[in-house]
Amino acid sequence: MAFPSWPEASSGRLLPMPSFTEHWRSLSSSSRLERPSEGDLSASCIRNLRLLRDSRLEQPSEGELRAGSIRNLRLLRGSRLERPSEGELSGSNLAQGNHLKSVDFDHVITLLEGTESGNSEEQLQALKELIKCYEFGIPLKDLRQISNILNLCAEKSELHHIFIEPTCEILKLYRLPFYKKNSSDEGNYAKEVQESFAQLGYLMRVPYSQVRIQICKSVISFYHAEPPKKEFEAIFNTVYQPISTNYKKKMVELAGLAETLLLSLTLVENQHPEKLWIIKTLQHLSISEENCKLMMKAQAPSRLCSHLNDVDSSGQFLFRSSEILWNLLEKSSKKETINQLSNLECINALKEVFLNLFLHGSSHYDRQLRNDILVISTLIAQNPGAPMIETGFAKQLILFATFFEVKSHNPLVKGFKLTYCYEDFELKKLLFNMLTVLSKDVSTVQLLHEGKVMLALFHYVKPNEKPGVLDWSAAQYEELQLHAIATLAIVAPLLVEDYMMCQGNTRLLMFLEWCAGNDPFFGQGNSFHGTGGRGNKLAQMRYSLRVLKPVVSLGDDAVNLDLCDQGAIHQLLGILKSTTNNFKEKEDAIVVEIQTDTFLTLSTLCENNVHRKEIFGWEGVDTLIPFMKMDVKKFYSGLGHNRLLFSALDCLWCCVMGCTILEDYFLEREGLFTLLDLLVLNETNVCNLILGILVEFCDNPKTVSHINVWRGKKDQTAAHLLINLWRKEEKEMGVKHDKLGRIADIKRPLVGRFQKQQEIIPMPATCPTVAVMDVAENMRAKIYCLICKLGFENLLGLSAKDFVTLAIIRRYLDFKVGEIWSEVCAELKREKFRPATADQEALQVITEAFQNVGKMVVSLQNEMLESKQYQELREEEKVYAKIHYLHKQKEMVNKSWKNFLTRTSNYEALKKAKRRQEKSIDASRPKERQHDAVFHPTDIKGLNTTVASGRLVTVESTPAELTGGPLMDTELALKRLPIRGGALKGVKGVKIMDSFKKDSVSVQ
């Protein structure tokens, strides 16, 4: 709802008001009761009507008042405005729903519109009766008429001061409950209620303090509704019900009352009571988000700030204004609110208020208000366009932040001391926070230097050795210490010279040594910065490393050289060892962050400096390798192990590679195997970094042999792993291949989905094209370099599919050059340049040559696939032959078993088999014998078996007495004779020959 802007306040007279009489009359014409004609009235009614006319037009004389006219006036008053008694309410009228006697609003309006000066008493009496009639609440259906009467009273109050009191009394009616007869009344009368509430805002033009204050009280009552009076509630609720709780608040928002009241501040600039009540009302209204948006349209932040320094003995104005500003920041657009406050006038006002409260505020309330103003100022300082430096507010705040630690001769703080109460403790933290905000503006660097901010912050980079009663408590000092070090981490990179003048490296290293030591320390860990530091020094170590890391990252040679000369590398390695050993079982995010920052600091110190890499040494390699062997499950724990792994790999790249001694030691410790194990995990972000490290490592001649020796799960080789990574990368890029992995597009075999979508845009030669950028955006170039180092021949553990992909990898560089030439041709065509004939022919030859390379690769892939198919076929034939042989053997075994069963169950078959066997044996012997040869039969006579017997030689020259009998009794002879010597032992005179002379015995 749009409202007219307020004109400037004039000298004490009432400003011209828009006439609302006709407007309200037109709105209420439909709801007025039609007056009956004289013919319809009874005799008594006609008499009373005449008396009414007389009372309107003529003031009765004193005699008439003493006589019967007094009785007629009483009848008139009783019939129109008199409040019904309790008996009448509980009687027949109540049964008919007439809990309130009908009020003739037309009569009251006609009285108020009259210009005669003699009927003022009658007008006041009518208003008094009207007010009494609605002393328990207002039905929604009557609110429009009451608002019309209120407007007339406000107009008449300019000429007759006696109407000020009735106006205030009518305004008090708005503080009473509103009632509805039907449940639909809230919606049906919503427009009338909005207009009535909007009228309250317009009435702020009335130049009387009582009226303005009463308007504010009535609006405030909407947010603190009074319950209906008990003596009337039981009677009233039989016909009417109270409106819903938030109905008035909603109507206030729709009526735009917040914006109107805010604009009315211009009318009461010199009236302190009215201004304070308006501010109090706006404070209640600002709890609503819709009201805050309306107030923002009227520039509420800047209007309120312009009055912050107004004289106010009560102190409420500043407090309530700051409360409204807080609500505007929270419930409306924070950015828009800060923009409205970011001007010279507002910041100067905040500066003066803060300075006054800082120097002269002594009560608990003053200190709290001071801190609130500082928080609002901090939010404003975050806006780069805020003139904090131009107003001198920034310099003043830097002074207040550092005077406690650094002595200053500035008269503002001379002799001023902070107490150790909670509010001053909060102030100190807020000032540290303000330094952080101000440091984001480069223009404040000089102010920070002049204010000796670095020296003040380094005051806290030390243990709290002597906590006393007249000082910060141990918990407070720890919180301030952590806050100061956190601020130092942001300010130190901006003031490197001040950092070195304060011996920042020495202070930090000494403090880190204390943090890593075993001295007893009982950290509280209560603050935001102290998270995870309860009972230990982890919080202090964490923020000290946060200071060291950005300072080292600047790359200042003097700073880094000073650090290394003081043994920072060994000290940082000691921190890694201590955190690993002491917090192995209970590893949290704080420990992981400390280790991550330590690795990053070491990487920056040792990068491109062989001497520092040698200082890093074998100790550093031994410390580094276990971090690359962390459990895979920790990557997704949310504690930051993925960042820790990245920082460890970065440390490997910067601190080990480039130093041959450390590279060889890393290989000896199987560090390269660890990298390949990480590569198997196939983590996309990690793979690219690991491949880059492996490519750099291949400059060491010992690396290739280690890569070839490595084996993964299922005997996977490094070459197979790299080719799998290539295929996965091309699949993610959308490079087209057929089902067998062959090239699908001969002209653009390496182009992915994204590259195809990019249009060819002519660019300068210094700008890389899409094809060139593709080399850096994926892992294919690194994989190509690695396989080039390994060699494309004699790669182990590759399948035919791998060889098909390997054919593409081998021609990667040729394909990339072809893409560049294709882009050159496309750019010429896009720019509509026609090359010279010779150049055109050269381009054509080059294009065809690279297309021929693609065709050649496809042909090679086909040959590989055919070879694979032929090999598979041969292998299949071998398998079938083996199966056939096994089946044949099985059949022969079955047949042999069957024959064996036949021989054992049929004696005739056994004899027949024996004869066949003997015949076969005879047939196998040679027919011709040498005449001087000795034949020894090997058959054992008397055996009834067909199983081949053992070899038996009958030596005829052996005397029978030596063997103890025939050969068939050999078993018996052996049982009789001892084992050693056999039968020879039982014959006297027989000489037993040595074993080495047995060959000399001749056998006849």
Side-chain angles (χ1 to χ4, degrees), residues 12 98 327 460 478 553 606 611 733 802 831 963 970:
N98 297 326
N327 290 337
Y460 293 93
E478 181 189 5
S553 299
C606 298
H611 174 63
M733 293 173 59
D802 293 336
E831 294 178 349
T963 60
T970 300

Side-chain angles (χ1 to χ4, degrees), residues 62 67 89 304 324 486 502 594 662 664 716 746 762 768 785 805 831 931 997:
E62 194 172 347
L89 282 170
L304 293 172
I324 297 172
C502 296
I594 289 172
L662 296 185
D664 293 344
Q716 184 184 28
I746 298 175
C785 293
T805 307
E831 294 178 349
H931 65 279
K997 294 182 179 181

Side-chain angles (χ1 to χ4, degrees), residues 839-858:
D839 294 339
Q840 184 68 35
E841 292 177 357
L843 288 173
Q844 185 68 26
V845 171
I846 292 170
T847 304
E848 291 177 357
F850 285 110
Q851 290 180 4
N852 290 335
V853 172
K855 293 177 182 178
M856 182 180 65
V857 172
V858 172

Side-chain angles (χ1 to χ4, degrees), residues 485-703:
I485 298 175
T487 306
L488 191 62
I490 298 173
V491 177
L494 303 174
L495 302 169
V496 180
E497 294 181 1
D498 292 354
Y499 175 85
M500 294 300 293
M501 288 179 63
C502 296
Q503 297 180 341
N505 287 336
T506 306
R507 290 177 184 244
L508 284 174
L509 291 178
M510 290 178 64
F511 192 65
L512 281 172
E513 185 178 358
W514 172 80
C515 293
N518 296 323
D519 300 337
F521 177 76
F522 303 99
Q524 301 300 318
N526 295 327
S527 64
F528 168 77
H529 295 95
T531 304
R534 190 171 187 84
N536 54 55
K537 308 171 191 173
L538 287 179
Q540 285 79 2
M541 183 183 292
R542 173 192 188 188
Y543 282 98
S544 298
L545 288 170
R546 282 193 182 183
V547 177
L548 199 59
K549 183 179 69 173
V551 171
V552 171
S553 299
L554 293 175
D556 190 293
D557 293 336
V559 176
N560 294 352
L561 181 61
D562 182 58
L563 269 174
C564 294
D565 290 344
Q566 296 188 52
I569 294 177
H570 286 296
Q571 188 170 343
L572 292 173
L573 289 175
I575 290 174
L576 287 172
K577 291 179 181 178
S578 64
T579 52
T580 304
N581 296 331
N582 297 335
F583 300 95
K584 185 179 295 184
E585 297 180 357
K586 188 179 179 181
E587 194 175 28
D588 57 4
I590 306 299
V591 176
V592 173
E593 182 182 345
I594 289 172
Q595 294 169 342
T596 302
D597 290 343
T598 305
F599 276 128
L600 293 175
T601 306
L602 286 169
S603 301
T604 309
L605 285 174
C606 298
E607 188 176 10
N608 302 324
N609 193 307
V610 179
H611 174 63
R612 293 175 189 169
K613 292 179 181 180
E614 292 175 352
I615 296 174
F616 183 80
W618 294 349
E619 179 188 1
V621 175
D622 291 335
T623 306
L624 177 63
I625 290 177
F627 285 95
M628 296 190 296
K629 295 181 179 179
M630 66 175 65
D631 189 0
V632 185
K633 297 178 181 178
K634 292 183 178 180
F635 292 167
Y636 308 101
S637 64
L639 298 178
H641 286 88
N642 49 351
R643 293 181 66 247
L644 178 59
L645 179 61
F646 272 107
S647 62
L649 292 173
D650 185 61
C651 183
L652 169 63
W653 201 326
C654 297
C655 300
V656 176
M657 294 171 61
C659 181
T660 307
I661 299 173
L662 296 185
E663 287 181 0
D664 293 344
Y665 185 71
F666 183 78
L667 293 174
E668 290 175 9
R669 292 296 309 277
E670 299 182 354
L672 197 66
F673 295 167
T674 305
L675 287 176
L676 292 171
D677 291 339
L678 282 174
L679 200 59
V680 173
L681 300 178
N682 207 3
E683 296 290 334
T684 306
N685 297 329
V686 182
C687 285
N688 210 345
L689 181 58
I690 295 174
L691 288 172
I693 295 173
L694 290 174
V695 171
E696 293 290 332
F697 247 113
C698 284
D699 293 338
N700 190 316
K702 299 178 182 179
T703 303

Side-chain angles (χ1 to χ4, degrees), residues 149-427:
I149 293 172
L150 175 62
N151 182 55
L152 291 173
C153 288
E155 289 180 354
K156 294 186 73 67
S157 63
E158 181 183 6
L159 300 176
H160 305 286
H161 290 227
I162 57 175
F163 285 95
I164 295 176
E165 184 179 353
T167 302
C168 294
E169 293 297 324
I170 296 176
L171 286 170
K172 289 181 182 178
L173 296 179
Y174 283 82
R175 302 171 63 178
L176 301 175
F178 286 5
Y179 293 95
K180 59 183 178 182
K181 187 172 184 180
N182 301 316
S183 58
S184 60
D185 285 357
E186 290 185 3
N188 295 338
Y189 293 101
K191 185 177 181 181
E192 287 82 353
V193 177
Q194 291 177 35
E195 293 174 349
S196 179
F197 284 0
Q199 180 67 16
L200 294 179
Y202 292 135
L203 289 179
M204 292 300 293
R205 292 174 178 256
V206 177
Y208 298 114
S209 175
Q210 305 96 307
V211 176
R212 291 171 174 171
I213 292 175
Q214 190 57 54
I215 291 172
C216 293
K217 289 181 178 179
S218 297
V219 175
I220 291 174
S221 69
F222 297 165
Y223 294 84
H224 303 282
E226 298 178 0
K229 294 183 180 180
K230 292 183 179 180
E231 62 269 17
F232 190 70
E233 183 178 5
I235 303 173
F236 211 65
N237 286 349
T238 56
V239 178
Y240 288 91
Q241 299 105 19
I243 59 173
S244 57
T245 309
N246 297 320
Y247 183 74
K248 287 185 179 181
K249 300 176 185 178
K250 186 66 177 177
M251 293 299 105
V252 167
E253 294 173 1
L254 296 175
L257 191 56
E259 184 179 3
T260 310
L261 290 176
L262 181 66
L263 293 172
S264 68
L265 281 174
T266 57
L267 303 175
V268 294
E269 287 185 353
N270 299 322
Q271 288 83 25
H272 179 266
E274 295 97 300
K275 183 165 60 175
L276 185 59
W277 272 103
I278 292 176
I279 292 295
K280 185 177 179 180
T281 307
L282 291 174
Q283 180 186 356
H284 285 80
L285 293 176
S286 63
I287 63 175
S288 165
E289 185 175 342
E290 292 298 325
N291 287 334
C292 286
K293 291 179 181 178
L294 292 170
M295 293 166 69
M296 289 298 297
K297 291 181 182 179
Q299 304 291 317
S302 56
R303 288 177 181 271
L304 293 172
C305 269
S306 62
H307 295 284
L308 287 179
N309 291 303
D310 292 354
V311 179
D312 178 25
S313 57
S314 65
Q316 293 188 37
F317 186 83
L318 180 60
F319 165 72
R320 297 187 184 279
S321 298
S322 64
E323 186 70 20
I324 297 172
L325 289 176
W326 268 114
N327 290 337
L328 292 174
L329 286 167
E330 292 177 356
K331 300 184 181 300
S332 63
S333 173
K334 181 179 178 180
K335 183 178 179 181
E336 185 181 352
T337 305
I338 292 174
N339 287 335
Q340 291 189 22
L341 292 171
S342 299
N343 56 68
L344 287 171
E345 183 182 1
C346 292
I347 293 179
N348 273 321
L350 290 170
K351 172 190 170 185
E352 293 176 8
V353 169
F354 178 76
L355 180 63
N356 181 54
L357 291 171
F358 185 84
L359 297 178
H360 305 110
S362 56
S363 65
H364 176 76
Y365 164 79
D366 290 338
R367 292 190 180 107
Q368 282 187 334
L369 187 57
R370 173 200 63 192
N371 292 350
D372 290 343
I373 296 297
L374 182 56
V375 174
I376 295 173
S377 303
T378 304
L379 294 174
I380 297 173
Q382 293 176 356
N383 183 12
M388 298 293 291
I389 301 175
E390 293 81 350
T391 56
F393 198 13
K395 186 175 182 179
Q396 191 181 89
L397 291 171
I398 293 172
L399 172 66
F400 293 154
T402 59
F403 84 96
F404 190 77
E405 295 81 16
V406 181
K407 291 183 179 179
S408 175
H409 299 289
N410 193 300
L412 282 177
V413 294
K414 189 175 182 180
F416 182 81
K417 291 185 179 180
L418 284 177
T419 64
Y420 298 104
C421 64
Y422 178 76
E423 287 73 24
D424 285 350
F425 170 67
E426 290 293 323
L427 172 68

